[in-house]
Amino acid sequence: MICENHTRVTEFILLGFTNNPEMQVSLFILFLAIYTVTLSGNFLIVTVTSMDPALQTPMYFFLRNLSLLEVCFTLVMVPKMLVDLVSPRKIISFVGCGTQMYFFFLFGSSECFLLSMMAYDRFVAICNPLRYSVIMNRSLCLWMAIGSWMSGVPVSMLQTAWMMALPFCGPNAVDHFFCDGPPVLKLVTVDTTMYEMQALASTFLFIMFPFSLILVSYTHIIITILRMPSAKGRQKAFSTCSSHLIVVSLFYGTASLTYLRPKSNQSPESKKLVSLSYTVITPMLNPIIYSLRNNEVKRAVKRTITQKVLQKLDVF
């Protein structure tokens, strides 16, 4: 459909959080600090799990992929958000909006499936420990990681291409801090029922299907842990899963509030805060959670830092 008597939208205005200049500066400093911690923490996890010989296991292979995914996920939105906070014109082109939306859907879907692969890894490690190294071999882990990264491609292409093909002939102000599906959809000038049905079905599939796999895995894990004879064994088994459970709860909890209730009565400000939690806050917390609750990671970080310090001392 073409825009009769109207000019088709060629760019969007991202309204962001506030128009108050002082508040924008404060938010810029806050989010810049959070983004710095996010990049530093996730790159530290990638470096440590790549270099330390004690962390060359499937669990840390998937953790390394999760950290890389978090870096990509935040890279899609946060730099643009930071620029908009200090820029008088919060503009994004039509193509730029579609590109941002595509990669947001892609990395979000990929993270859902990667978290389910990590749950399966814990299931095999706890419920079938004697065959763990045979089942979770290098080849299977590699294909599971590739499958997770590529899983979001079809739905991302479908949702983005369909969305951007709809007519945008009227207002162009997106009441959000990035080009997310629901706020952009409000600007479409025709009935969007068919798209919304498809989007809800796709979202339900890409959130609930991986979550179901996680639920099944942890049901078996809990049953196995409860059957362990020693309290020490139960505590050790649960400690290997606790970090992953916290990350899953944070990511799925906030994402479900946004995408499984697209017609909710939440105010735009509330939706922005919920979106902020899984697009900015959760990627920062993930490496902190895995570092603080995992003794192997803490020891590996200490070894890596010590090694770097000694190398610098040798230079002098």
Side-chain angles (χ1 to χ4, degrees), residues 33-43 67 70-71 74 280-285 287:
I34 291 174
Y35 190 48
T36 302
V37 173
T38 300
L39 293 180
S40 302
N42 282 291
F43 278 126
S67 291
E70 296 288 26
V71 170
T74 55
V280 179
I281 305 301
T282 301
M284 177 192 68
L285 292 177

Side-chain angles (χ1 to χ4, degrees), residues 169-186:
C169 309
N172 67 337
V174 179
D175 195 4
H176 211 37
F177 60 91
F178 71 99
C179 283
D180 195 7
V184 173
L185 191 64
K186 291 180 180 179

Side-chain angles (χ1 to χ4, degrees), residues 103-152:
F103 283 106
F104 171 72
F105 288 153
L106 173 65
F107 294 132
S109 302
S110 299
E111 184 159 348
C112 288
F113 278 91
L114 184 60
L115 288 172
S116 69
M117 297 299 103
M118 295 174 75
Y120 177 74
D121 171 67
R122 292 299 83 207
F123 159 72
V124 177
I126 294 173
C127 300
N128 205 347
L130 297 179
R131 299 191 62 209
Y132 177 68
S133 59
V134 176
I135 296 173
M136 299 302 296
N137 58 70
R138 187 179 183 86
S139 177
L140 178 63
C141 291
L142 182 61
W143 281 111
M144 287 170 68
I146 292 173
S148 297
W149 280 87
M150 299 302 294
S151 61

Side-chain angles (χ1 to χ4, degrees), residues 30-274:
L30 174 63
F31 292 144
L32 180 60
I34 291 174
Y35 190 48
T36 302
V37 173
T38 300
L39 293 180
S40 302
N42 282 291
F43 278 126
L44 179 62
I45 292 291
V46 172
T47 302
V48 168
T49 56
S50 299
M51 295 178 59
D52 197 282
L55 302 185
Q56 304 307 307
T57 64
M59 175 180 173
Y60 297 107
F61 169 76
F62 289 120
L63 178 57
R64 180 162 63 249
N65 276 270
L66 179 64
S67 291
L68 286 171
L69 193 54
E70 296 288 26
V71 170
C72 296
F73 191 58
T74 55
L75 189 63
V76 173
M77 295 151 294
V78 179
K80 173 61 178 170
M81 180 181 69
L82 292 172
V83 171
D84 287 344
L85 284 171
V86 294
S87 174
R89 282 174 51 83
K90 301 168 176 55
I91 301 296
I92 185 169
S93 68
F94 187 84
V95 174
C97 184
T99 303
Q100 188 181 57
M101 189 182 299
Y102 170 78
F103 283 106
F104 171 72
F105 288 153
L106 173 65
F107 294 132
S109 302
S110 299
E111 184 159 348
C112 288
F113 278 91
L114 184 60
L115 288 172
S116 69
M117 297 299 103
M118 295 174 75
Y120 177 74
D121 171 67
R122 292 299 83 207
F123 159 72
V124 177
I126 294 173
C127 300
N128 205 347
L130 297 179
R131 299 191 62 209
Y132 177 68
S133 59
V134 176
I135 296 173
M136 299 302 296
N137 58 70
R138 187 179 183 86
S139 177
L140 178 63
C141 291
L142 182 61
W143 281 111
M144 287 170 68
I146 292 173
S148 297
W149 280 87
M150 299 302 294
S151 61
V153 172
V155 70
S156 302
M157 291 183 66
L158 172 64
Q159 291 209 32
T160 305
W162 192 345
M163 169 84 78
M164 305 315 286
L166 294 170
F168 293 87
C169 309
N172 67 337
V174 179
D175 195 4
H176 211 37
F177 60 91
F178 71 99
C179 283
D180 195 7
V184 173
L185 191 64
K186 291 180 180 179
L187 305 180
V188 176
T189 50
V190 296
D191 180 65
T192 59
T193 303
M194 287 297 295
Y195 177 86
E196 289 181 58
M197 291 175 61
Q198 172 275 140
L200 185 59
S202 299
T203 303
F204 190 84
L205 173 65
F206 275 82
I207 289 181
M208 296 311 297
F209 178 67
F211 183 73
S212 298
L213 296 177
I214 294 171
L215 197 60
V216 170
S217 296
Y218 274 104
T219 299
H220 287 284
I221 288 171
I222 292 170
I223 292 172
T224 301
I225 291 176
L226 292 176
R227 289 176 178 173
M228 291 180 176
S230 67
K232 187 176 180 180
R234 289 194 296 268
Q235 183 180 0
K236 184 179 179 181
F238 183 75
S239 66
T240 64
C241 305
S242 57
S243 299
H244 182 253
L245 276 173
I246 295 171
V247 170
V248 167
S249 300
L250 287 171
F251 181 81
Y252 276 96
T254 52
S256 298
L257 286 175
T258 301
Y259 297 104
L260 294 183
R261 299 195 306 164
K263 291 291 186 179
S264 67
N265 294 322
Q266 284 181 308
S267 66
E269 287 72 24
S270 298
K271 292 182 178 180
K272 290 175 192 177
L273 288 175
V274 174

